[in-house]
Amino acid sequence: MSGSDQSYITDTLIAEDIDAYLHKHQHKTMLRFITCGSVDDGKSTLIGRLLYDSKMIFEDQLANLESDSRAHGTQGQGIDFALLVDGLAAEREQGITIDVAYRFFATDKRKFIVADTPGHEQYTRNMVTGASTADLAVILVDARQGILTQTRRHSYLVNLLGIKNIVLAVNKMDLVGYSQERFYEIVKEYAHFAEQLGIKSFLPIPISGLAGDNIVTRSENTPWYQGPTLLGHLEDAPINATQMQDAPFRMAVQWVNRPNLDFRGFAGQIGSGTIAKGDAIRVLPSGKTSRVKSIVTYDGQLDRAMAGQSITLTFEDEVDCSRGDVITVADAPCEVADQFEATLVWMDEAEMLPGRPYLLKIGTQTMTATVTEPKYEVNVNTLEHLTSQTLAVNAIGVVNISTDRAIPFEAYAQNPDLGGFILIDRMTNATVAAGMVHFALRRSQNIHWQAVDIDRTAHAAIKGQQARVVWFTGLSGSGKSTIANIVEKKLHALGKHTFLLDGDNVRHGLNRDLGFTDADRVENIRRVGEVAKLMSDAGLIVLTAFISPFRAERRMVREMMETGEFMEVHVNTPLEVAEARDVKGLYKKARAGNLKNFTGIDSPYEQPENAEMTVNTVELTAEDAAEQVVAAILAGL
């Protein structure tokens, strides 16, 4: 045999080996897991050790790690494995994890994506982000410190997020002399807390991330431990994706695929269950039914598809279906409702305000939602339910939520894709909370809109006018009520049907139970907005005079009304002028500290950005300002 023939055979065998390896690698299962726990429990070090021992570090990375360890490490001249994960400068300087760090590695049996989540309480939101897609959680405990507040907090969140496979990794066993007694003492304490949470099982493993004990190979330092190594357990642990295949079929529509006139399909990723050609389906929330005509993928058509696959479905019938709808199996659909009980993990520095409209994103749809009723806050140490009207940053609470339309959903415990959601601040677009749906409120299914024969158009027509809501906003002492009162008198003289809702007057009756906290101010405006909406439905020109300090609530009321019906009038008076007037003596009380949460002093006023009209009461008399407002109202009628 010639040398060229031998070379050809060798190259062919190498190519076949590579193909076989790539095929095997492509078909390995993927486990997503997180490491969590309190500060300095060794999460980053553990992940660095896993990467190092699984040979997932290249020579140049190892050289950089050794150099970085000498410059930034905490292990003297030894390798600081945490630096493989802690990439931010602030993390290296402080020796802590701040952001979520994701790392990929693989063994012969499985592929892994690990999320290293921060331990500080102020970064709890980052931990929730990392845990939201995990199949397994490794909760670390420093053997010297035992079970701490963050251990409990993270365990609560792990259980709340539906992670059933939990490893209690008792780390730094080398610093307690590999004490069997200390290990079981920690396990016993954690088992008691886990039972209270409803965690049915967990795997305790004694480890040392720095020394490598029981990480990849069994340690001779713990002969009393007979369980699996951490990596061994990670390779054999069950994966959520396979568990969801046994559930009823659910697929949220991400996109309506219409490349030409002859094809109309509905694309998305299957959240649970399986689907086959010919299966009967139901589209929610409409409830329309049909059968699957074809299952289309990038690689061609399939006879059957299952959870985790991205597909396009076509139907035998022309059924209205769009982005945000959920396709389910016809005989086992999910629920549809617009009011829910849910758990919220609050992530924003600004506290939650009941009644304030937020954007709620669930599955592939986004809508407006409000927290209508906070039920209680959870003390993660004692699991006690605490009475609370709001939630501060990193707080966990159970609330009632109302959405502006009915949506298909399932309890988070059954289907995280259709039960998990986020709340988004409508003004800043920041994610302020993560939530998990428990169940629909009974009233959401028992209360329905009653059709009436005399509608709002008829009410307005008989009065010879168009309904209108004129919303006066400004600081206390700006002249809102005075101008609104003059406007009503002028309109009344012209034969217009009006009603004036004044801030002080409303607080004597409808809102007498509300104070002046930010949460109470939001609820005050929400109620007034609902009343104004009813009055506009009656065909009235409604005038309101409220400080209404927050843009979000003024926008909420605007969106309650028909297009073009809401007119915002900013009574623009500088604070020093309004305070100098101080007709009611309120500024004096606020300056003396006898009146808390007073707008302009210790509570903010957010000026309108796009008001339909602005009147300056420094330059105009109340009479002149009223004349301008009346002219604007009449011009729009």
Side-chain angles (χ1 to χ4, degrees):
M1 182 181 296
S2 68
S4 59
D5 290 336
Q6 289 179 336
S7 177
Y8 171 78
I9 293 174
T10 301
D11 290 345
T12 301
L13 291 174
I14 291 174
E16 290 176 351
D17 288 343
I18 292 174
D19 288 342
Y21 171 81
L22 290 176
H23 182 271
K24 178 182 177 182
H25 185 75
Q26 182 179 358
H27 290 84
K28 289 178 184 176
T29 57
M30 171 79 77
L31 177 75
R32 297 175 180 269
F33 70 98
I34 65 166
T35 58
C36 54
S38 193
V39 181
D40 293 330
D41 279 348
K43 298 178 292 297
S44 299
T45 299
L46 172 62
I47 296 175
R49 169 61 75 171
L50 273 172
L51 295 172
Y52 182 81
D53 287 352
S54 59
K55 313 301 182 186
M56 291 300 295
I57 304 175
F58 296 107
E59 290 184 5
D60 59 333
Q61 291 177 308
L62 181 59
N64 288 335
L65 175 61
E66 292 171 346
S67 174
D68 289 346
S69 295
R70 289 190 293 271
H72 305 286
T74 60
Q75 304 302 321
Q77 294 301 308
I79 294 178
D80 187 348
F81 293 106
L83 296 180
L84 282 171
V85 184
D86 289 339
L88 299 179
E91 293 177 327
R92 295 189 169 204
E93 290 169 1
Q94 300 179 54
I96 63 171
T97 299
I98 295 174
D99 201 1
V100 182
Y102 294 93
R103 290 293 183 271
F104 171 87
F105 68 101
T107 65
D108 289 339
K109 296 181 67 174
R110 176 173 276 177
K111 295 180 287 188
F112 303 92
I113 293 179
V114 54
D116 180 25
T117 62
H120 279 74
E121 180 179 350
Q122 71 189 90
Y123 302 121
T124 298
R125 71 197 82 174
N126 296 10
M127 180 269 168
V128 174
T129 301
S132 62
T133 58
D135 302 296
L136 179 147
V138 179
I139 300 175
L140 272 80
V141 176
D142 187 328
R144 301 167 302 169
Q145 303 294 329
I147 308 300
L148 301 176
T149 297
Q150 279 299 80
T151 314
R152 294 184 173 91
R153 182 184 299 276
H154 286 183
S155 297
Y156 183 93
L157 290 169
V158 161
N159 186 57
L160 184 65
L161 290 165
I163 301 175
K164 304 302 181 186
N165 200 328
I166 298 173
V167 175
L168 180 70
V170 182
N171 194 23
K172 304 185 182 181
M173 288 297 296
D174 52 318
L175 300 183
V176 294
Y178 299 98
S179 169
Q180 179 181 6
E181 181 181 356
R182 179 56 177 159
F183 173 72
Y184 284 114
E185 179 183 328
I186 292 172
V187 171
K188 181 179 179 181
E189 182 181 356
Y190 186 81
H192 177 70
F193 181 72
E195 184 179 6
Q196 292 178 287
L197 284 180
I199 295 176
K200 295 181 179 179
S201 64
F202 63 93
L203 174 66
I205 304 178
I207 67 169
S208 170
L210 186 63
D213 295 289
N214 294 324
I215 304 297
V216 175
T217 58
R218 191 180 303 280
S219 172
E220 295 179 356
N221 295 313
T222 56
W224 41 267
Y225 173 71
Q226 300 301 315
T229 63
L230 177 60
L231 184 60
H233 179 68
L234 294 177
E235 289 181 324
D236 296 330
I239 297 175
N240 292 343
T242 56
Q243 297 171 356
M244 293 303 293
Q245 292 173 7
D246 297 328
F249 175 74
R250 307 281 188 259
M251 187 183 88
V253 177
Q254 296 178 349
W255 176 49
V256 178
N257 187 356
R258 193 74 187 272
N260 55 58
L261 295 176
D262 301 320
F263 185 90
R264 183 167 178 260
F266 309 100
Q269 185 178 64
I270 302 176
S272 65
T274 60
I275 192 71
K277 290 174 62 175
D279 282 354
I281 58 89
R282 187 181 302 271
V283 178
L284 298 175
S286 69
K288 300 294 184 181
T289 59
S290 184
R291 289 187 178 275
V292 175
K293 181 179 180 181
S294 63
I295 304 172
V296 183
T297 71
Y298 178 81
D299 297 318
Q301 294 196 20
L302 303 175
D303 291 329
R304 178 178 294 272
M306 61 185 64
Q309 288 183 278
S310 295
I311 61 171
T312 295
L313 294 178
T314 65
F315 300 152
E316 293 181 355
D317 308 290
E318 287 295 330
V319 175
D320 184 22
C321 183
S322 58
R323 176 178 168 83
D325 289 347
V326 175
I327 303 171
T328 73
V329 62
D331 58 358
C334 54
E335 293 184 75
V336 176
D338 61 2
Q339 296 182 65
F340 315 90
E341 182 187 273
T343 294
L344 279 186
V345 181
W346 196 254
M347 300 178 172
D348 198 46
E349 295 294 338
E351 67 180 16
M352 179 197 75
L353 296 177
R356 168 164 288 184
Y358 298 97
L359 293 178
L360 184 148
K361 188 176 189 308
I362 182 170
T364 56
Q365 57 184 321
T366 302
M367 74 236 34
T368 300
T370 56
V371 179
T372 57
E373 181 185 350
K375 304 183 84 168
Y376 58 83
E377 184 178 337
V378 178
N379 182 322
V380 296
N381 281 318
T382 64
L383 302 183
E384 180 184 4
H385 294 177
L386 307 174
T387 301
S388 178
Q389 293 303 308
T390 186
L391 294 175
V393 62
N394 294 324
I396 303 167
V398 173
V399 302
N400 287 346
I401 288 183
S402 175
T403 56
D404 64 356
R405 61 181 181 272
I407 58 173
F409 78 97
E410 286 194 309
Y412 183 88
Q414 294 177 304
N415 190 329
D417 288 340
L418 293 181
F421 63 89
I422 59 173
L423 292 182
I424 302 168
D425 187 281
R426 289 153 52 98
M427 305 302 292
T428 65
N429 216 32
T431 299
V432 296
M436 304 94 199
V437 172
H438 297 170
F439 50 79
L441 301 181
R442 184 185 300 177
R443 60 176 177 261
S444 71
Q445 298 167 333
N446 294 339
I447 300 175
H448 308 279
W449 283 103
Q450 177 63 44
V452 293
D453 295 324
I454 308 300
D455 62 10
R456 64 194 323 276
T457 303
H459 284 301
I462 201 171
K463 297 177 177 63
Q465 62 187 36
Q466 292 179 4
R468 175 80 66 169
V469 174
V470 183
W471 193 276
F472 293 88
T473 176
L475 293 169
S476 176
S478 62
K480 300 181 301 299
S481 296
T482 302
I483 297 171
N485 188 51
I486 297 173
V487 168
E488 185 175 37
K489 288 194 295 183
K490 291 180 179 293
L491 291 173
H492 183 74
L494 294 170
K496 302 300 180 182
H497 297 258
T498 64
F499 195 89
L500 173 60
L501 291 169
D502 181 78
D504 284 352
N505 293 347
V506 167
R507 282 187 177 272
H508 282 293
L510 176 67
N511 293 344
R512 68 185 301 175
D513 60 318
L514 299 177
F516 291 91
T517 64
D518 286 351
D520 284 341
R521 290 177 189 274
V522 170
E523 176 61 12
N524 181 50
I525 298 306
R526 188 196 68 80
R527 293 183 191 179
V528 171
E530 295 288 357
V531 172
K533 175 67 167 61
L534 292 173
M535 288 184 166
S536 68
D537 285 346
L540 297 175
I541 299 173
V542 186
L543 309 171
T544 74
F546 292 83
I547 295 175
S548 49
F550 303 125
R551 296 189 190 103
E553 280 58 64
R554 299 195 297 266
R555 179 177 175 179
M556 171 184 66
V557 179
R558 180 186 293 273
E559 293 177 351
M560 291 181 185
M561 310 305 165
E562 298 295 319
T563 302
E565 188 175 285
F566 185 85
M567 177 179 172
E568 187 174 29
V569 179
H570 179 204
V571 183
N572 187 9
T573 303
L575 175 62
E576 58 272 16
V577 175
E579 187 170 0
R581 294 172 181 170
D582 205 11
V583 179
K584 302 172 185 177
L586 300 179
Y587 283 100
K588 184 176 180 180
K589 289 182 180 179
R591 292 294 186 187
N594 298 323
L595 186 58
K596 299 297 182 183
N597 301 312
F598 189 72
T599 304
I601 304 302
D602 56 354
S603 186
Y605 176 75
E606 299 173 356
Q607 291 195 11
E609 295 177 331
N610 297 294
E612 280 73 15
M613 188 172 185
T614 298
V615 294
N616 188 321
T617 57
V618 176
E619 300 172 355
L620 296 173
T621 65
E623 185 75 22
D624 291 339
E627 283 286 355
Q628 291 187 9
V629 175
V630 170
I633 294 172
L634 295 177
L637 295 181

